[in-house]
Amino acid sequence: MDRDQNDEDSVVDLSFEAESPLAPPAELLERLPSYDCLFQGGGQQIFFPPLEAPQRPQEQRCWSRFLEHRIPVVTEEVAREALLSFVNSKCCYGSSAASDFIIQELKQQTLCRYRLETFSESRISEWTFQPFTNHLVDGPRRGTSPRLWDFKVQVPPMFQEDTRKFQVPHSSVVKECHKCRGHGRYKCSGCHGAGMVRCPSCSGAKRRAKQPRRCQMCSGSGRHRCSTCSGRGNKTCATCKGEKKLVHFVQLVIMWKNSLFEFVSEHRLNCPTELLAKAKGENLFKDENTMVYPLIDFPLREISLASERGIAQHSATLASRARVLQQRQTIELVPLTEVRYWYGGKTNVYYIYGTDHRVFVADYPERYCCGCTIV
């Protein structure tokens, strides 16, 4: 394929480089504006949040009125209905055992589940770029970029995670494309600029093996048009989209995260703790504010210790890299009942947990296959 010599000279030979957008070399761009920040790998900067003013003092609470709340006891009738409903939801469980078993004993225990949520905001900045299309550039000459914690944005609803990206005003700068070196195109890596490749049908032999006729795919030439570049020998630069220049700017990435700490009080029954952590409970106590304090005076010692531990962990993890917007700590009562029953000449056990009476069965006696998860 013939091409004009000047056109050939304007194409950069990048046939041994990946044909995808690449990050510019670090020395190409200036250091980001001087804020209070921590430098990370990949050209990112994490910005320290401003110090917050002291919060409200800890309140004295009267726990007696909270602890007066009691969850209804699971009766034999409720226990039977819960198991039958569970069995009916399983395709390979028989309902006879759930209908005819004899309850021997009900052991009920109410657990306390402590949960701490910390809703925080963190900000990082990074250089990014897009093709320059001769549009207006918002560079340093138009003003000084705001400090990144002074950048005002709409905060999402509390405790709902989100990530948003913004272009920092007055941070744009135009540079020659670092991928094609300002040419807008580069030599195709499939054909190395020739526009033709060896015929895949005859492997360049012009005739297929053991056939006298010439290859129909390449018409006996042994060469075939390159499918990578459609025979042009070069491709439009994927980084600058052929515009030859890029506009680089500082991108602010704001992340709202809801950190979670959970603790379930100790229980004596053989029900998996991970199920109890997700079980539906009855709200006993809720405290929500910009900053919450450990429940050091709660009557159940292990809940007080969990509160102290959770708040300390979140404080240590988030203090240096995020701004805490809101905290919420709750205590829920989670009922747990062990049901011992007689069926088929032996004693079996299942558990009812949560206020919605979910069931966990370790070994159901009337199961037709072994492929179901017994939860």
Side-chain angles (χ1 to χ4, degrees):
M1 179 180 294
D2 294 331
R3 287 184 300 273
D4 185 78
Q5 183 65 34
N6 293 331
D7 188 49
E8 177 72 24
D9 293 340
S10 66
V11 179
V12 178
D13 185 1
L14 297 181
S15 57
F16 298 103
E17 299 189 26
E19 297 181 14
S20 60
L22 299 175
E27 62 272 12
L28 178 65
L29 300 172
E30 297 80 2
R31 176 174 170 172
L32 300 185
S34 57
Y35 302 110
D36 297 328
C37 58
L38 174 66
F39 283 85
Q40 298 288 92
Q44 292 183 338
Q45 300 182 35
I46 297 179
F47 289 83
F48 295 133
L51 296 176
E52 299 290 340
Q55 302 297 319
R56 60 182 172 83
Q58 184 174 2
E59 301 173 359
Q60 294 294 324
R61 301 181 180 90
C62 180
W63 291 110
S64 58
R65 65 184 181 90
F66 292 107
L67 298 178
E68 291 174 357
H69 188 89
R70 291 293 181 269
I71 294 179
V73 175
V74 171
T75 63
E76 288 193 10
E77 181 181 1
V78 171
R80 289 180 181 276
E81 291 178 355
L83 181 60
L84 187 59
S85 177
F86 168 79
V87 168
N88 289 337
S89 68
K90 303 295 181 180
C91 63
C92 54
Y93 280 31
S95 59
S96 297
S99 302
D100 302 334
F101 68 92
I102 299 174
I103 294 180
Q104 296 177 314
E105 184 181 13
L106 294 174
K107 289 183 181 180
Q108 182 159 333
Q109 181 179 357
T110 300
L111 312 175
C112 282
R113 181 177 60 206
Y114 172 81
R115 179 182 285 121
L116 172 68
E117 297 172 89
T118 300
F119 188 60
S120 62
E121 176 185 316
S122 60
R123 300 188 175 194
I124 64 172
S125 74
E126 57 191 6
W127 280 109
T128 188
F129 57 84
Q130 62 186 30
F132 176 59
T133 56
N134 293 320
H135 56 275
L136 184 64
V137 177
D138 184 16
R141 293 184 179 181
R142 298 177 63 86
T144 303
S145 296
R147 294 172 62 91
L148 296 193
W149 277 103
D150 294 335
F151 201 95
K152 303 298 183 183
V153 298
Q154 180 66 41
V155 178
M158 290 296 164
F159 307 106
Q160 293 187 20
E161 296 188 344
D162 196 6
T163 299
R164 299 179 196 166
K165 298 180 179 181
F166 304 91
Q167 181 174 336
V168 175
H170 318 316
S171 65
S172 299
V173 58
V174 177
K175 299 282 186 180
E176 180 182 273
C177 178
H178 54 273
K179 173 67 181 192
C180 65
R181 301 167 192 163
H183 291 274
R185 296 176 295 168
Y186 51 77
K187 190 175 292 186
C188 175
S189 61
C191 63
H192 302 287
M196 304 292 287
V197 294
R198 180 183 296 176
C199 177
S201 179
C202 65
S203 300
K206 303 181 181 181
R207 288 180 174 82
R208 300 185 65 177
K210 299 181 181 180
Q211 291 187 3
R213 294 182 180 180
R214 64 181 182 178
C215 176
Q216 294 181 349
M217 178 174 286
C218 63
S219 299
S221 66
R223 309 286 286 173
H224 190 266
R225 187 172 65 173
C226 177
S227 59
T228 303
C229 64
S230 300
R232 292 190 299 270
N234 61 78
K235 295 181 65 177
T236 300
C237 177
T239 300
C240 69
K241 304 295 191 279
E243 299 293 342
K244 302 181 181 181
K245 292 184 179 181
L246 300 171
V247 54
H248 299 258
F249 57 89
V250 178
Q251 180 171 256
L252 171 63
V253 183
I254 304 181
M255 294 166 287
W256 291 277
K257 183 179 180 181
N258 192 38
S259 301
L260 181 64
F261 175 89
E262 287 184 321
F263 174 81
V264 179
S265 61
E266 184 179 355
H267 61 93
R268 299 177 298 276
L269 304 180
N270 194 26
C271 184
T273 303
E274 58 269 20
L275 296 179
L276 302 176
K278 301 176 182 178
K280 186 176 181 180
E282 187 80 18
N283 185 62
L284 176 67
F285 170 77
K286 178 181 177 181
D287 178 25
E288 182 176 326
N289 212 298
T290 307
M291 178 183 295
V292 298
Y293 291 86
L295 306 176
I296 56 176
D297 55 346
F298 190 74
L300 193 60
R301 177 65 175 164
E302 57 181 328
I303 294 296
S304 294
L305 293 175
S307 176
E308 291 184 48
R309 187 166 64 252
I311 292 174
Q313 285 183 9
H314 282 192
S315 177
T317 303
L318 300 173
S320 62
R321 62 181 179 86
R323 175 164 56 184
V324 174
L325 302 180
Q326 195 82 345
Q327 285 188 309
R328 178 168 63 194
Q329 59 181 345
T330 58
I331 299 176
E332 294 174 285
L333 298 179
V334 180
L336 174 62
T337 302
E338 180 183 84
V339 184
R340 290 187 174 272
Y341 66 97
W342 178 267
Y343 180 80
K346 61 179 296 188
T347 297
N348 297 281
V349 177
Y350 69 93
Y351 297 90
I352 302 173
Y353 62 95
T355 55
D356 54 349
H357 298 155
R358 302 291 296 274
V359 171
F360 168 75
V361 183
D363 187 15
Y364 186 69
E366 194 179 359
R367 188 175 58 181
Y368 303 127
C369 71
C370 57
C372 288
T373 302
I374 318 174
V375 176

